[in-house]
């Protein structure tokens, strides 16, 4: 049937066209079709082959990305002009030649297109007759021949293709396909597709009028076999059932042909083709009976209705096994914390504490609120925001005692270097970074006299400051976490303990507690020590601007309750913010 005429012509490098056919039929416009010259192209024997077979059976082969350094074979007669551009053979100067990239196009009575590599021009192109088509594809490949009326028609191995069987359109098929896949993914069994349709061999039992019946076997709940008779609509067979068996056939034939390594299947597949094959294969696998294989499901999320933070909680569908143990451990660990939190939230502050918090604008507040209350929110220095008291009396006291009178006069890192007490002393103790030095600054409105840092452990010695001629304020090093060596921190702690328990002239220790975190074991340790040594101490809640007003009140209430039995504790609990200045003016009255 097919006559092969091979002509090889060398096309000049850099020219934009090849020579016309012998009989002067239609001209191959290479320029138009992407065979433009490329002056920069390097000629190489390896990457130049253009085979064109004409006649009833046409065959084109073109490689090297459509560049002009090609050899061409011209046919005897020109049948049709090949519109390379239309078929996706656009010129691509940057295309890299690869043997893996190929495009095959078969023309004839049954036209067949195979296009790979995204339509790039490094292609081989063949036009064959029906016989070639049949030989190559064996009807099994599922490629789409094009009818004369330009309608796509599927070709199946087990079907008589000569009959013009009406098949569902591509759109309808893909819709059904998606429906089926969705049905399987959801674990629902659709009425059409059942697992035993694939697992058990089915037979058409008999025909009754227009309906066919098929016999299927399936396992019942007791493990026994059940026979079922199912009516099968003609359309059903022609549509979905046909589709799934053909998908199976396609997959199997592809697998076979890949194993054989002869004929068409021996051709190396391009990247795109491999991906396509893989996709088909996976789909084929599904249809071939791997319906048990479950799709990975996203763990369902539920929202805890009682959690105002709206955290998403895993309901544990996907976290079986060791994750459960992990969760249990976490629950154990957090249960203590959770109960503490719950305990804290259950605290009902006394009306006096609540009104104190409200009157002094303690807690996290909106700027507008602070501004209205007379706080200077425009100041750039973060801690230089102490409001002046609106009481003329208080202002007079502040002015005379605290304002601009703080002066550093001594530091000690061992008890032997303590100076003899000349003035009554008020010390500021607490964990590292709780805001001791900042409070000293905000009390006196002198920024820079006492050094502060966001890095815990800045103050490492006992620092003595004179406040006018009446008081001595003492900044103590912090305890707990700090950026310092363990032995150094231990030394500080010992020094602080020694100071608070033995210092003559120490009138009061302001024990600073972070409002957010409350009292920690080391704070209790120090309290016990001061109780033993009968040193007066007063709790000062710091950084109140970082928590809600209600929590400030709760924390104050909690501490007051804890300290009720303590003899050396001075009530009330103070609440301040060195940043906003809230609560500071009331501190002054203690002095
Ligand atoms: N938001 C806010 N931050 C504060 C407040 N008081 C202090 N800070 C910040 O907390 C950090 C620690 O402040 P310091 O005054 O150095 O704390 P300290 O207790 O002296 O720390 P050590 O000297 O390391 O023991 C600094 O970054 C301050 O700006 C406050 O009332 N509110
Ligand atoms: Mg400090």
């Amino acid at each position: 049937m097919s006559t092969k005429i091979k002509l090889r012509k060398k096309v000049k490098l850099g020219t934009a066209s090849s020579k016309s056919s012998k009989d002067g039929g239609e001209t191959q416009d290479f320029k138009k079709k992407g065979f433009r010259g490329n002056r920069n192209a390097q000629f190489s024997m390896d990457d130049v082959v253009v085979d064109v077979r004409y006649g009833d059976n046409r065959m084109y082969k073109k490689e090297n990305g459509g560049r002009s350094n090609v050899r061409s074979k011209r046919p005897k007669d020109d049948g049709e002009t090949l519109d390379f551009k239309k078929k996706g053979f656009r010129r691509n100067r940057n295309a890299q030649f690869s043997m893996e990239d190929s495009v095959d196009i078969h023309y004839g009575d049954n036209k067949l297109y195979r296009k790979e590599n995204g339509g790039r021009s490094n292609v081989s192109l063949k036009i064959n007759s029906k016989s070639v088509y049949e030989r190559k594809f064996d009807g099994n490949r599922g490629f789409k021949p094009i009818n004369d009326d330009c309608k796509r028609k599927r070709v199946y191995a087990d079907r008589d293709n000569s009959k013009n069987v009406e098949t569902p359109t591509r759109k309808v098929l893909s819709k059904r396909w998606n429906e089926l896949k969705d049905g399987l993914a959801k674990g629902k069994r659709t009425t059409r597709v059942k697992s035993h349709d694939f697992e058990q061999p089915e037979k058409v039992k008999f025909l009754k009028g227009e309906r066919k019946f098929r016999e299927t076997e399936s396992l019942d709940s007791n493990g026994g076999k059940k026979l079922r008779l199912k009516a099968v609509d003609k359309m059903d067979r022609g549509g979905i059932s046909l589709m799934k068996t053909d998908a199976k056939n396609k997959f199997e034939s592809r697998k076979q042909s890949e194993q054989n390594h002869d004929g068409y299947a021996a051709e190396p597949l391009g990247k795109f083709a491999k991906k396509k094959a893989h996709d088909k294969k996976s789909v084929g696998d599904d249809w071939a009976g791997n319906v048990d294989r479950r799709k990975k499901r996203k763990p369902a999320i539920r929202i805890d209705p009682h959690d105002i933070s709206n955290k998403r909680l895993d309901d544990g569908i996907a976290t079986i096994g060791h994750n459960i143990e992990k969760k249990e451990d976490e629950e154990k660990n957090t249960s203590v914390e959770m109960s503490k939190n719950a305990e804290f939230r259950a605290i009902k502050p006394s009306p006096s504490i609540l009104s104190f918090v409200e009157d002094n604008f303690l807690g996290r507040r909106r700027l507008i609120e602070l501004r209205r209350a007379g706080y200077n929110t425009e100041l750039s220095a973060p801690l230089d925001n102490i409001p002046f008291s609106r009481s003329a009396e208080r202002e007079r006291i502040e002015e005379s005692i605290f304002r601009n009178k703080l002066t550093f006069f001594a530091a000690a890192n061992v008890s032997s270097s303590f100076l003899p007490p000349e003035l009554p002393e008020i010390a500021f103790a607490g964990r590292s970074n709780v805001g001791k030095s900042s409070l000293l600054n905000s009390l006196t409105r002198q920024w820079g006299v006492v050094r502060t840092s966001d890095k815990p452990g800045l103050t490492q010695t006992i620092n003595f400051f004179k406040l006018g001629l009446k008081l001595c304020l003492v900044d103590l090093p912090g305890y707990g976490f700090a950026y310092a060596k363990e032995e150094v921190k231990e030394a500080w702690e010992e020094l602080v303990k020694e100071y608070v328990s033995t210092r003559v002239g120490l009138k009061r220790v302001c024990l600073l507690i972070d409002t957010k975190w409350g009292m920690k074991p080391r704070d209790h340790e120090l309290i016990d020590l001061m109780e033993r040594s009968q040193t007066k101490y007063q709790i000062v809640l710091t950084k109140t601007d970082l928590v809600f007003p209600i929590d400030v009140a709760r924390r104050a209430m909690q501490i007051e309750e804890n300290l009720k039995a303590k003899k050396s504790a001075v009530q009330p609990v103070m609440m301040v913010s060195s940043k906003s200045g809230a609560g500071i003016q009331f501190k002054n009255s203690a002095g």
Side-chain angles (χ1 to χ4, degrees), residues 323-365:
N323 280 357
I324 290 175
E325 283 171 28
K326 206 177 153 192
K327 264 193 170 178
E328 278 171 4
D329 286 350
E330 273 173 16
E331 269 167 23
K332 261 185 203 172
N333 291 338
T334 53
S335 63
V336 183
E337 203 60 42
M338 286 294 285
S339 61
K340 270 189 184 174
N341 264 343
E343 226 174 74
F344 181 71
R345 276 160 205 274
I347 294 172
K348 283 187 178 162
S350 66
S352 62
I353 290 179
L354 279 173
S355 63
F356 182 86
V357 167
E358 281 308 306
D359 290 349
N360 291 280
F361 295 93
L362 288 155
R364 198 184 292 169
R365 301 278 169 171

Side-chain angles (χ1 to χ4, degrees), residues 4-9 28 30 35 46-54 58-67 69-75 82 84 89 97-99 101-105 121-128 264 267:
K4 275 189 184 178
I5 302 156
K6 285 193 176 182
L7 276 173
R8 292 200 165 218
K9 284 188 181 177
Q28 289 287 318
F30 284 90
F35 289 80
D46 292 344
D47 56 2
V48 176
V49 179
V50 170
D51 290 333
V52 182
R53 285 173 225 172
Y54 272 42
R58 288 145 207 274
M59 181 172 176
Y60 292 77
K61 192 176 177 192
K62 177 181 162 291
E63 289 166 359
N64 196 28
R67 283 178 286 162
N69 43 354
V70 297
R71 287 175 187 174
S72 65
K73 290 178 191 173
R74 302 298 298 151
L82 280 173
F84 286 90
F89 294 89
F97 176 76
S98 157
M99 280 306 287
D101 298 328
S102 67
V103 171
D104 298 320
I105 295 183
S121 55
N122 38 356
V123 296
S124 77
L125 174 69
K126 290 171 187 173
I127 300 176
N128 283 343
Y264 241 73
E267 278 190 19

Side-chain angles (χ1 to χ4, degrees), residues 204-213 234:
V204 174
K205 190 76 176 170
F206 46 81
L207 282 164
K208 261 189 183 178
E210 283 297 299
R211 293 173 79 88
K212 282 180 186 175
F213 287 83
K234 268 187 176 179

Side-chain angles (χ1 to χ4, degrees), residues 296-571:
K296 267 193 181 175
R297 290 176 60 181
K298 277 187 182 173
I301 300 295
R302 69 185 164 85
I303 306 293
D304 183 356
H306 304 293
D307 186 0
I308 53 160
S309 65
N310 271 353
K311 275 180 195 160
R312 284 174 157 198
L313 301 176
D314 201 346
D315 67 358
I317 288 171
T319 56
I320 311 161
H322 78 280
N323 280 357
I324 290 175
E325 283 171 28
K326 206 177 153 192
K327 264 193 170 178
E328 278 171 4
D329 286 350
E330 273 173 16
E331 269 167 23
K332 261 185 203 172
N333 291 338
T334 53
S335 63
V336 183
E337 203 60 42
M338 286 294 285
S339 61
K340 270 189 184 174
N341 264 343
E343 226 174 74
F344 181 71
R345 276 160 205 274
I347 294 172
K348 283 187 178 162
S350 66
S352 62
I353 290 179
L354 279 173
S355 63
F356 182 86
V357 167
E358 281 308 306
D359 290 349
N360 291 280
F361 295 93
L362 288 155
R364 198 184 292 169
R365 301 278 169 171
R366 289 187 303 159
L367 280 181
I368 183 93
E369 240 181 304
L370 292 170
R371 234 178 268 153
R372 275 184 198 150
Y375 289 79
N376 186 359
T377 53
E378 305 299 327
L379 291 176
S380 55
L383 296 176
D384 191 10
N385 202 16
I386 309 303
F388 290 95
S389 169
R390 280 159 291 171
S391 149
E393 177 64 12
R394 189 171 299 281
E395 210 164 298
R396 193 180 57 78
I397 298 165
E398 282 175 2
E399 195 66 30
S400 60
I401 299 177
F402 293 100
R403 201 173 170 93
N404 299 321
K405 298 286 188 296
L406 192 72
T407 46
F408 171 79
F409 75 97
N413 55 5
V414 283
S415 56
S416 57
S417 56
F418 291 163
L419 290 174
E422 292 172 6
L423 295 169
E425 285 175 8
I426 295 176
F428 294 84
R431 293 171 62 80
S432 293
N433 212 44
V434 77
K436 300 178 291 294
S437 306
S438 302
L439 184 59
L440 272 173
N441 281 330
S442 61
L443 276 172
T444 57
R445 297 174 200 142
Q446 289 183 61
W447 303 102
V449 176
V450 191
R451 284 177 60 221
T452 64
S453 163
D454 57 355
K455 202 173 153 189
L458 181 77
T459 310
Q460 303 190 355
T461 54
I462 295 181
N463 297 328
F464 295 87
F465 298 87
K466 274 186 183 165
L467 186 69
L469 297 169
K470 294 186 178 174
L471 268 177
C472 179
L473 301 182
V474 184
D475 187 17
L476 297 174
Y479 47 81
F481 174 77
Y483 291 100
K485 284 180 183 171
E486 276 304 312
E487 55 267 27
V488 178
K489 283 195 289 181
E490 276 170 22
W492 298 345
E493 249 184 85
E494 289 307 311
L495 189 68
V496 169
K497 281 177 181 173
E498 199 179 339
Y499 174 81
V500 298
S501 58
T502 61
R503 181 71 174 169
V504 182
L506 179 61
K507 298 295 174 200
R508 194 173 293 185
V509 173
C510 291
L511 179 57
L512 275 63
I513 306 288
D514 194 319
T515 312
K516 193 174 180 182
W517 303 113
M519 297 228 295
K520 297 285 176 186
R522 280 173 194 259
D523 299 318
H524 286 292
E525 256 181 59
L526 194 69
I527 285 173
D528 290 344
L529 178 69
M530 290 188 288
E531 284 288 324
R532 285 198 300 272
S533 61
Q534 297 182 342
T535 310
K536 293 278 179 199
Y537 62 90
Q538 187 169 16
I539 304 294
V540 181
L541 292 178
T542 59
K543 304 190 184 183
T544 54
D545 56 293
L546 298 179
V547 297
F548 290 114
I550 182 68
D551 289 337
V552 177
R554 280 175 180 150
R555 188 66 73 194
M557 188 73 192
Q558 185 192 41
I559 292 172
E560 274 188 10
E561 289 292 314
N562 285 346
L563 299 179
K564 256 183 184 168
K566 309 281 183 193
K567 287 181 180 159
S568 300
V570 177
Q571 296 282 7

Side-chain angles (χ1 to χ4, degrees), residues 99-112:
M99 280 306 287
E100 288 187 357
D101 298 328
S102 67
V103 171
D104 298 320
I105 295 183
H106 293 253
Y107 277 60
D109 289 345
N110 296 320
K111 298 180 186 186
L112 180 81

